[in-house]
Amino acid sequence: MTLVTATERSAQSAPRAEGDRRPPDRGAWFLVLPALIPILVLSVGPLLYGILLAFTDAQSGRTRATQWIGGLNFQDLLHDTLFWESFRIGLVWAVGVTVPQFLLALGLALLLDQDLKLRWLARALAIIPWAMPEVVVGVMWRLVYNPDAGVLNENLRTLGLGDGRDWLSGLSTALPAVIVVGVWAGMPQTTVTLLAGLQNTPRELHEAAAMDGAGAWRRFRTVTWPALRPVALAITALNFIWNFNSFALVYVLTSGGPGGRTRLPMLFAYEEAFRYGQFGYAAAMGLVMVAVISLLLALFLVGRLRDRTGGDQA
């Protein structure tokens, strides 16, 4: 029987040096594959195919083979005023939804963070719009905006504020009406995220600030907001990207009308591909939108990295 000394046992149990690490277990890849394969098939694959399609003249119903045309689609896109107008509408929509969404969600999160009666019920009711599919939300709000029997116009008539109007068909009211629906539908997600950030803020900091005589606004500015700022920036960036890429909600409400006043870039690309059969041109639009969103996301990540680096140095 071999005797192992205490020194040998300690040497055997000591952690390996940096250069003496064992190679990674290849069997771990088999555990990752069930989650990785759907991502590759349903996300990465279509993205690569769309990039390839953007440099071709692919169309529906063609008898001859699709040809490689290089950057011709992008040259045509530079002079397509309708696309850039839809791009402008998309930016107006994204900002118009994201900013009120955040402000209202912040106020609601601060309210739900208080020790109120039936707070659990209020929190449950606050996330109902989030649990509803976008198609259902669109159909429901079409009924609300109905010019003849809609709830909104009926209330306006009852209050003596006019005979009502067709909100979704008016050139000046369609986009604001759709923005209201976007804010209502997306606010619960932002509220839940901000509420989680508020609950992670140490209560001792609020108590110390209150003992120093700080009022509610000063406590929010010096204690709550610094702790909530990373969460707020992250959810705002995600909301902006999500809103800019919106499709189903606006499609159900207005289908891009009237007169293209609510035609977001995703709707424009959809019409080019599936109504007019210009698959290559629509893919070029999608690639431009992916590039813009990637640039915005990169700027956000660089800003977050600078803030974190500055905080570490301080």
Side-chain angles (χ1 to χ4, degrees):
M1 183 171 61
T2 304
L3 298 177
V4 181
T5 63
T7 304
E8 292 173 342
R9 287 197 302 268
S10 62
Q12 292 174 359
S13 61
R16 294 175 179 267
E18 290 293 332
D20 195 29
R21 290 181 177 176
R22 290 181 298 177
D25 186 7
R26 295 182 179 180
W29 283 102
F30 291 99
L31 301 177
V32 180
L33 283 179
L36 187 61
I37 290 177
I39 294 176
L40 294 175
V41 173
L42 301 177
S43 297
V44 179
L47 176 62
L48 296 178
Y49 180 70
I51 294 174
L52 179 64
L53 204 64
F55 296 93
T56 67
D57 62 349
Q59 297 178 2
S60 64
R62 296 185 59 172
T63 56
R64 63 183 180 86
T66 299
Q67 296 181 353
W68 181 271
I69 59 174
L72 186 60
N73 285 328
F74 298 95
Q75 294 180 12
D76 295 339
L77 201 58
L78 288 176
H79 304 286
D80 192 340
T81 56
L82 292 178
F83 172 73
W84 293 113
E85 176 63 17
S86 73
F87 204 88
R88 183 192 68 81
I89 294 173
L91 290 177
V92 172
W93 152 267
V95 174
V97 172
T98 303
V99 174
Q101 200 174 75
F102 173 77
L103 295 176
L104 293 174
L106 178 60
L108 184 57
L110 290 171
L111 179 62
L112 295 178
D113 192 45
Q114 303 300 316
D115 189 12
L116 303 174
K117 293 182 179 180
L118 299 178
R119 183 174 59 177
W120 62 271
L121 180 60
R123 289 180 176 180
L125 294 176
I127 65 174
I128 287 179
W130 190 16
M132 299 173 63
E134 287 187 317
V135 174
V136 176
V137 172
V139 172
M140 182 185 71
W141 276 91
R142 281 186 65 90
L143 296 176
V144 172
Y145 285 135
N146 187 280
D148 299 321
V151 176
L152 179 58
N153 283 338
E154 286 293 331
N155 288 328
L156 292 177
R157 295 188 188 100
T158 302
L159 296 174
L161 298 178
D163 295 332
R165 58 194 309 173
D166 194 349
W167 299 93
L168 296 177
S169 298
L171 295 178
S172 61
T173 59
L175 185 58
V178 173
I179 287 176
V180 170
V181 181
V183 172
W184 182 85
M187 195 173 67
Q189 178 183 0
T190 309
T191 301
V192 171
T193 305
L194 295 177
L195 182 59
L198 289 173
Q199 292 181 339
N200 288 329
T201 305
R203 298 292 179 183
E204 295 80 6
L205 298 178
H206 289 278
E207 295 174 357
M211 291 179 63
D212 290 339
W217 169 246
R218 187 177 178 185
R219 289 200 304 270
F220 173 81
R221 185 169 52 87
T222 59
V223 177
T224 303
W225 179 248
L228 194 62
R229 186 170 178 267
V231 177
L233 291 176
I235 192 61
T236 302
L238 292 175
N239 282 341
F240 182 85
I241 294 173
W242 178 264
N243 292 326
F244 185 79
N245 290 325
S246 292
F247 173 80
L249 185 62
V250 181
Y251 182 78
V252 173
L253 285 170
T254 63
S255 298
R261 295 301 176 93
T262 61
R263 184 186 290 131
L264 304 183
M266 288 296 295
L267 284 172
F268 194 92
Y270 170 82
E271 290 180 350
E272 287 293 324
F274 298 104
R275 179 175 294 181
Y276 304 114
Q278 302 293 331
F279 294 132
Y281 193 53
M285 294 181 186
L287 188 56
V288 169
M289 287 184 282
V290 169
V292 171
I293 293 300
S294 300
L295 178 60
L296 294 176
L297 185 59
L299 293 175
F300 168 74
L301 293 176
V302 169
R304 292 289 296 119
L305 183 61
R306 288 180 178 177
D307 291 342
R308 184 171 297 179
T309 303
D312 293 340
Q313 292 177 353

